[in-house]
mmCIF file of all heavy atoms in Angstrom:
data_model
loop_
_atom_site.group_PDB
_atom_site.id
_atom_site.type_symbol
_atom_site.label_atom_id
_atom_site.label_comp_id
_atom_site.label_asym_id
_atom_site.label_seq_id
_atom_site.Cartn_x
_atom_site.Cartn_y
_atom_site.Cartn_z
ATOM 1 N N LYS A 80 -44.137 124.806 60.450
ATOM 2 C CA LYS A 80 -43.338 125.005 61.641
ATOM 3 C C LYS A 80 -43.420 123.830 62.607
ATOM 4 O O LYS A 80 -42.732 123.814 63.605
ATOM 5 C CB LYS A 80 -43.789 126.283 62.358
ATOM 6 C CG LYS A 80 -43.656 127.540 61.490
ATOM 7 C CD LYS A 80 -44.169 128.735 62.240
ATOM 8 C CE LYS A 80 -44.087 129.994 61.378
ATOM 9 N NZ LYS A 80 -44.616 131.175 62.067
ATOM 10 N N LYS A 81 -44.245 122.869 62.302
ATOM 11 C CA LYS A 81 -44.470 121.757 63.209
ATOM 12 C C LYS A 81 -43.333 120.749 63.121
ATOM 13 O O LYS A 81 -42.552 120.751 62.187
ATOM 14 C CB LYS A 81 -45.798 121.046 62.900
ATOM 15 C CG LYS A 81 -47.025 121.936 63.153
ATOM 16 C CD LYS A 81 -48.266 121.171 62.817
ATOM 17 C CE LYS A 81 -49.530 122.016 63.014
ATOM 18 N NZ LYS A 81 -50.740 121.315 62.643
ATOM 19 N N THR A 82 -43.295 119.881 64.113
ATOM 20 C CA THR A 82 -42.414 118.725 64.066
ATOM 21 C C THR A 82 -43.236 117.462 64.045
ATOM 22 O O THR A 82 -44.348 117.449 64.562
ATOM 23 C CB THR A 82 -41.459 118.697 65.279
ATOM 24 O OG1 THR A 82 -42.283 118.669 66.473
ATOM 25 C CG2 THR A 82 -40.577 119.917 65.311
ATOM 26 N N CYS A 83 -42.727 116.426 63.448
ATOM 27 C CA CYS A 83 -43.421 115.159 63.399
ATOM 28 C C CYS A 83 -43.430 114.558 64.801
ATOM 29 O O CYS A 83 -42.375 114.386 65.410
ATOM 30 C CB CYS A 83 -42.723 114.213 62.412
ATOM 31 S SG CYS A 83 -43.412 112.551 62.361
ATOM 32 N N SER A 84 -44.608 114.238 65.311
ATOM 33 C CA SER A 84 -44.720 113.688 66.670
ATOM 34 C C SER A 84 -44.180 112.282 66.787
ATOM 35 O O SER A 84 -44.069 111.771 67.891
ATOM 36 C CB SER A 84 -46.185 113.723 67.125
ATOM 37 O OG SER A 84 -46.657 115.040 67.141
ATOM 38 N N ILE A 85 -43.887 111.642 65.668
ATOM 39 C CA ILE A 85 -43.388 110.260 65.708
ATOM 40 C C ILE A 85 -41.862 110.234 65.723
ATOM 41 O O ILE A 85 -41.248 109.624 66.608
ATOM 42 C CB ILE A 85 -43.918 109.460 64.508
ATOM 43 C CG1 ILE A 85 -45.458 109.332 64.627
ATOM 44 C CG2 ILE A 85 -43.283 108.075 64.444
ATOM 45 C CD1 ILE A 85 -46.111 108.597 63.498
ATOM 46 N N CYS A 86 -41.219 110.927 64.777
ATOM 47 C CA CYS A 86 -39.748 110.877 64.731
ATOM 48 C C CYS A 86 -39.116 112.117 65.357
ATOM 49 O O CYS A 86 -37.888 112.188 65.450
ATOM 50 C CB CYS A 86 -39.263 110.699 63.291
ATOM 51 S SG CYS A 86 -39.551 112.172 62.239
ATOM 52 N N LEU A 87 -39.939 113.116 65.750
ATOM 53 C CA LEU A 87 -39.470 114.335 66.383
ATOM 54 C C LEU A 87 -38.674 115.247 65.470
ATOM 55 O O LEU A 87 -38.074 116.218 65.935
ATOM 56 C CB LEU A 87 -38.652 114.002 67.642
ATOM 57 C CG LEU A 87 -39.362 113.096 68.674
ATOM 58 C CD1 LEU A 87 -38.482 112.895 69.880
ATOM 59 C CD2 LEU A 87 -40.703 113.664 69.052
ATOM 60 N N ALA A 88 -38.599 114.916 64.175
ATOM 61 C CA ALA A 88 -37.868 115.757 63.217
ATOM 62 C C ALA A 88 -38.809 116.836 62.680
ATOM 63 O O ALA A 88 -40.041 116.719 62.768
ATOM 64 C CB ALA A 88 -37.311 114.910 62.110
ATOM 65 N N SER A 89 -38.212 117.855 62.091
ATOM 66 C CA SER A 89 -39.031 118.964 61.593
ATOM 67 C C SER A 89 -39.774 118.560 60.300
ATOM 68 O O SER A 89 -39.370 117.627 59.617
ATOM 69 C CB SER A 89 -38.133 120.188 61.329
ATOM 70 O OG SER A 89 -37.247 119.903 60.258
ATOM 71 N N MET A 90 -40.827 119.310 60.009
ATOM 72 C CA MET A 90 -41.621 119.071 58.793
ATOM 73 C C MET A 90 -41.642 120.369 57.963
ATOM 74 O O MET A 90 -42.704 120.867 57.610
ATOM 75 C CB MET A 90 -43.024 118.606 59.141
ATOM 76 C CG MET A 90 -43.075 117.293 59.858
ATOM 77 S SD MET A 90 -44.766 116.634 59.993
ATOM 78 C CE MET A 90 -45.525 117.906 60.975
ATOM 79 N N ARG A 91 -40.476 120.882 57.667
ATOM 80 C CA ARG A 91 -40.412 122.105 56.871
ATOM 81 C C ARG A 91 -40.427 121.818 55.409
ATOM 82 O O ARG A 91 -40.031 120.707 54.961
ATOM 83 C CB ARG A 91 -39.117 122.886 57.223
ATOM 84 C CG ARG A 91 -39.095 123.380 58.669
ATOM 85 C CD ARG A 91 -37.865 124.276 58.886
ATOM 86 N NE ARG A 91 -37.844 124.813 60.229
ATOM 87 C CZ ARG A 91 -37.205 124.198 61.236
ATOM 88 N NH1 ARG A 91 -36.588 123.055 61.009
ATOM 89 N NH2 ARG A 91 -37.211 124.737 62.428
ATOM 90 N N ARG A 92 -40.869 122.770 54.641
ATOM 91 C CA ARG A 92 -40.920 122.625 53.212
ATOM 92 C C ARG A 92 -39.509 122.483 52.613
ATOM 93 O O ARG A 92 -38.549 123.113 53.112
ATOM 94 C CB ARG A 92 -41.592 123.863 52.604
ATOM 95 C CG ARG A 92 -41.801 123.769 51.109
ATOM 96 C CD ARG A 92 -42.363 125.076 50.582
ATOM 97 N NE ARG A 92 -41.447 126.159 50.901
ATOM 98 C CZ ARG A 92 -41.723 127.430 50.677
ATOM 99 N NH1 ARG A 92 -42.862 127.772 50.188
ATOM 100 N NH2 ARG A 92 -40.824 128.376 50.988
ATOM 101 N N GLY A 93 -39.403 121.671 51.611
ATOM 102 C CA GLY A 93 -38.124 121.531 50.919
ATOM 103 C C GLY A 93 -37.181 120.489 51.492
ATOM 104 O O GLY A 93 -36.049 120.352 51.036
ATOM 105 N N GLU A 94 -37.643 119.742 52.508
ATOM 106 C CA GLU A 94 -36.783 118.718 53.096
ATOM 107 C C GLU A 94 -36.935 117.375 52.437
ATOM 108 O O GLU A 94 -36.327 116.377 52.838
ATOM 109 C CB GLU A 94 -37.076 118.597 54.603
ATOM 110 C CG GLU A 94 -36.648 119.846 55.367
ATOM 111 C CD GLU A 94 -36.837 119.683 56.862
ATOM 112 O OE1 GLU A 94 -37.567 118.761 57.287
ATOM 113 O OE2 GLU A 94 -36.266 120.481 57.626
ATOM 114 N N GLY A 95 -37.780 117.275 51.423
ATOM 115 C CA GLY A 95 -37.903 116.061 50.623
ATOM 116 C C GLY A 95 -38.756 114.987 51.228
ATOM 117 O O GLY A 95 -38.636 113.806 50.876
ATOM 118 N N HIS A 96 -39.627 115.306 52.213
ATOM 119 C CA HIS A 96 -40.457 114.303 52.849
ATOM 120 C C HIS A 96 -41.954 114.612 52.571
ATOM 121 O O HIS A 96 -42.383 115.777 52.670
ATOM 122 C CB HIS A 96 -40.249 114.304 54.370
ATOM 123 C CG HIS A 96 -38.888 113.857 54.762
ATOM 124 N ND1 HIS A 96 -38.416 112.594 54.557
ATOM 125 C CD2 HIS A 96 -37.872 114.548 55.372
ATOM 126 C CE1 HIS A 96 -37.175 112.501 55.003
ATOM 127 N NE2 HIS A 96 -36.810 113.685 55.524
ATOM 128 N N ALA A 97 -42.700 113.593 52.257
ATOM 129 C CA ALA A 97 -44.145 113.741 52.106
ATOM 130 C C ALA A 97 -44.766 113.941 53.476
ATOM 131 O O ALA A 97 -44.313 113.373 54.471
ATOM 132 C CB ALA A 97 -44.738 112.522 51.429
ATOM 133 N N ILE A 98 -45.807 114.773 53.534
ATOM 134 C CA ILE A 98 -46.474 115.095 54.789
ATOM 135 C C ILE A 98 -47.877 114.569 54.765
ATOM 136 O O ILE A 98 -48.608 114.741 53.791
ATOM 137 C CB ILE A 98 -46.506 116.611 55.032
ATOM 138 C CG1 ILE A 98 -45.102 117.206 54.912
ATOM 139 C CG2 ILE A 98 -47.117 116.926 56.379
ATOM 140 C CD1 ILE A 98 -44.119 116.660 55.920
ATOM 141 N N PHE A 99 -48.272 113.868 55.808
ATOM 142 C CA PHE A 99 -49.645 113.379 55.949
ATOM 143 C C PHE A 99 -50.346 114.186 57.029
ATOM 144 O O PHE A 99 -49.868 114.335 58.149
ATOM 145 C CB PHE A 99 -49.639 111.904 56.366
ATOM 146 C CG PHE A 99 -50.990 111.411 56.817
ATOM 147 C CD1 PHE A 99 -52.016 111.204 55.928
ATOM 148 C CD2 PHE A 99 -51.212 111.134 58.149
ATOM 149 C CE1 PHE A 99 -53.242 110.729 56.340
ATOM 150 C CE2 PHE A 99 -52.455 110.690 58.585
ATOM 151 C CZ PHE A 99 -53.463 110.499 57.661
ATOM 152 N N THR A 100 -51.488 114.784 56.685
ATOM 153 C CA THR A 100 -52.317 115.498 57.631
ATOM 154 C C THR A 100 -53.619 114.712 57.838
ATOM 155 O O THR A 100 -54.372 114.528 56.885
ATOM 156 C CB THR A 100 -52.641 116.931 57.165
ATOM 157 O OG1 THR A 100 -51.390 117.607 56.988
ATOM 158 C CG2 THR A 100 -53.498 117.669 58.186
ATOM 159 N N ALA A 101 -53.849 114.282 59.068
ATOM 160 C CA ALA A 101 -55.021 113.428 59.367
ATOM 161 C C ALA A 101 -56.264 114.293 59.486
ATOM 162 O O ALA A 101 -56.207 115.516 59.564
ATOM 163 C CB ALA A 101 -54.777 112.643 60.625
ATOM 164 N N GLU A 102 -57.406 113.579 59.556
ATOM 165 C CA GLU A 102 -58.678 114.291 59.669
ATOM 166 C C GLU A 102 -58.817 115.010 61.013
ATOM 167 O O GLU A 102 -59.665 115.902 61.181
ATOM 168 C CB GLU A 102 -59.859 113.330 59.470
ATOM 169 C CG GLU A 102 -59.811 112.166 60.424
ATOM 170 C CD GLU A 102 -60.057 110.846 59.688
ATOM 171 O OE1 GLU A 102 -59.201 110.450 58.911
ATOM 172 O OE2 GLU A 102 -61.084 110.244 59.938
ATOM 173 N N CYS A 103 -57.957 114.650 62.003
ATOM 174 C CA CYS A 103 -57.978 115.321 63.291
ATOM 175 C C CYS A 103 -57.080 116.548 63.264
ATOM 176 O O CYS A 103 -56.888 117.199 64.312
ATOM 177 C CB CYS A 103 -57.569 114.391 64.387
ATOM 178 S SG CYS A 103 -55.917 113.695 64.172
ATOM 179 N N SER A 104 -56.454 116.864 62.130
ATOM 180 C CA SER A 104 -55.634 118.031 61.853
ATOM 181 C C SER A 104 -54.193 117.851 62.275
ATOM 182 O O SER A 104 -53.368 118.773 62.054
ATOM 183 C CB SER A 104 -56.201 119.303 62.491
ATOM 184 O OG SER A 104 -55.863 119.357 63.870
ATOM 185 N N HIS A 105 -53.760 116.754 62.851
ATOM 186 C CA HIS A 105 -52.363 116.536 63.214
ATOM 187 C C HIS A 105 -51.602 116.017 62.006
ATOM 188 O O HIS A 105 -52.073 115.212 61.236
ATOM 189 C CB HIS A 105 -52.238 115.565 64.387
ATOM 190 C CG HIS A 105 -52.775 116.120 65.678
ATOM 191 N ND1 HIS A 105 -53.880 115.607 66.330
ATOM 192 C CD2 HIS A 105 -52.364 117.163 66.403
ATOM 193 C CE1 HIS A 105 -54.088 116.301 67.409
ATOM 194 N NE2 HIS A 105 -53.207 117.255 67.498
ATOM 195 N N SER A 106 -50.349 116.520 61.871
ATOM 196 C CA SER A 106 -49.525 116.167 60.715
ATOM 197 C C SER A 106 -48.337 115.320 61.089
ATOM 198 O O SER A 106 -47.771 115.478 62.193
ATOM 199 C CB SER A 106 -49.060 117.452 60.011
ATOM 200 O OG SER A 106 -50.176 118.209 59.564
ATOM 201 N N PHE A 107 -47.913 114.467 60.181
ATOM 202 C CA PHE A 107 -46.761 113.586 60.381
ATOM 203 C C PHE A 107 -46.047 113.381 59.043
ATOM 204 O O PHE A 107 -46.600 113.628 57.979
ATOM 205 C CB PHE A 107 -47.220 112.202 60.905
ATOM 206 C CG PHE A 107 -48.189 112.279 62.040
ATOM 207 C CD1 PHE A 107 -49.570 112.278 61.784
ATOM 208 C CD2 PHE A 107 -47.757 112.334 63.342
ATOM 209 C CE1 PHE A 107 -50.482 112.342 62.837
ATOM 210 C CE2 PHE A 107 -48.657 112.407 64.386
ATOM 211 C CZ PHE A 107 -50.018 112.420 64.125
ATOM 212 N N HIS A 108 -44.804 112.911 59.125
ATOM 213 C CA HIS A 108 -44.134 112.471 57.916
ATOM 214 C C HIS A 108 -44.900 111.259 57.390
ATOM 215 O O HIS A 108 -45.325 110.380 58.147
ATOM 216 C CB HIS A 108 -42.692 112.080 58.197
ATOM 217 C CG HIS A 108 -41.786 113.234 58.427
ATOM 218 N ND1 HIS A 108 -40.933 113.296 59.512
ATOM 219 C CD2 HIS A 108 -41.586 114.373 57.737
ATOM 220 C CE1 HIS A 108 -40.247 114.421 59.443
ATOM 221 N NE2 HIS A 108 -40.645 115.096 58.391
ATOM 222 N N PHE A 109 -45.020 111.147 56.075
ATOM 223 C CA PHE A 109 -45.784 110.052 55.497
ATOM 224 C C PHE A 109 -45.146 108.697 55.830
ATOM 225 O O PHE A 109 -45.837 107.753 56.196
ATOM 226 C CB PHE A 109 -45.879 110.243 53.990
ATOM 227 C CG PHE A 109 -46.650 109.156 53.303
ATOM 228 C CD1 PHE A 109 -47.954 108.871 53.639
ATOM 229 C CD2 PHE A 109 -46.054 108.377 52.307
ATOM 230 C CE1 PHE A 109 -48.648 107.868 53.004
ATOM 231 C CE2 PHE A 109 -46.731 107.356 51.650
ATOM 232 C CZ PHE A 109 -48.057 107.107 52.022
ATOM 233 N N HIS A 110 -43.796 108.613 55.710
ATOM 234 C CA HIS A 110 -43.159 107.340 55.985
ATOM 235 C C HIS A 110 -43.274 106.933 57.452
ATOM 236 O O HIS A 110 -43.307 105.760 57.782
ATOM 237 C CB HIS A 110 -41.696 107.376 55.551
ATOM 238 C CG HIS A 110 -40.840 108.324 56.313
ATOM 239 N ND1 HIS A 110 -40.761 109.662 55.977
ATOM 240 C CD2 HIS A 110 -40.044 108.148 57.380
ATOM 241 C CE1 HIS A 110 -39.922 110.279 56.843
ATOM 242 N NE2 HIS A 110 -39.493 109.380 57.696
ATOM 243 N N CYS A 111 -43.360 107.909 58.351
ATOM 244 C CA CYS A 111 -43.515 107.625 59.769
ATOM 245 C C CYS A 111 -44.905 107.062 60.060
ATOM 246 O O CYS A 111 -45.072 106.042 60.756
ATOM 247 C CB CYS A 111 -43.271 108.868 60.618
ATOM 248 S SG CYS A 111 -41.568 109.485 60.585
ATOM 249 N N ILE A 112 -45.929 107.722 59.499
ATOM 250 C CA ILE A 112 -47.289 107.310 59.833
ATOM 251 C C ILE A 112 -47.681 106.009 59.145
ATOM 252 O O ILE A 112 -48.440 105.199 59.692
ATOM 253 C CB ILE A 112 -48.297 108.436 59.486
ATOM 254 C CG1 ILE A 112 -49.587 108.243 60.309
ATOM 255 C CG2 ILE A 112 -48.589 108.470 58.015
ATOM 256 C CD1 ILE A 112 -49.384 108.365 61.786
ATOM 257 N N THR A 113 -47.102 105.719 57.947
ATOM 258 C CA THR A 113 -47.403 104.450 57.299
ATOM 259 C C THR A 113 -46.774 103.329 58.111
ATOM 260 O O THR A 113 -47.369 102.214 58.201
ATOM 261 C CB THR A 113 -46.860 104.407 55.870
ATOM 262 O OG1 THR A 113 -45.479 104.820 55.845
ATOM 263 C CG2 THR A 113 -47.660 105.344 54.974
ATOM 264 N N SER A 114 -45.604 103.549 58.675
ATOM 265 C CA SER A 114 -44.995 102.522 59.523
ATOM 266 C C SER A 114 -45.844 102.322 60.772
ATOM 267 O O SER A 114 -46.025 101.209 61.273
ATOM 268 C CB SER A 114 -43.594 102.939 59.910
ATOM 269 O OG SER A 114 -43.020 102.032 60.816
ATOM 270 N N ASN A 115 -46.377 103.435 61.309
ATOM 271 C CA ASN A 115 -47.246 103.360 62.477
ATOM 272 C C ASN A 115 -48.488 102.500 62.176
ATOM 273 O O ASN A 115 -48.886 101.636 62.964
ATOM 274 C CB ASN A 115 -47.674 104.784 62.869
ATOM 275 C CG ASN A 115 -48.101 104.881 64.311
ATOM 276 O OD1 ASN A 115 -47.424 104.428 65.191
ATOM 277 N ND2 ASN A 115 -49.275 105.473 64.527
#
Side-chain angles (χ1 to χ4, degrees):
K80 300 177 182 179
K81 295 180 181 178
T82 58
C83 176
S84 298
I85 296 179
C86 70
L87 306 182
S89 67
M90 295 190 298
R91 294 187 179 91
R92 184 185 59 186
E94 293 184 342
H96 295 294
I98 306 299
F99 167 73
T100 300
E102 56 227 68
C103 60
S104 80
H105 292 115
S106 299
F107 312 91
H108 287 130
F109 180 59
H110 64 275
C111 293
I112 202 63
T113 52
S114 175
N115 202 51

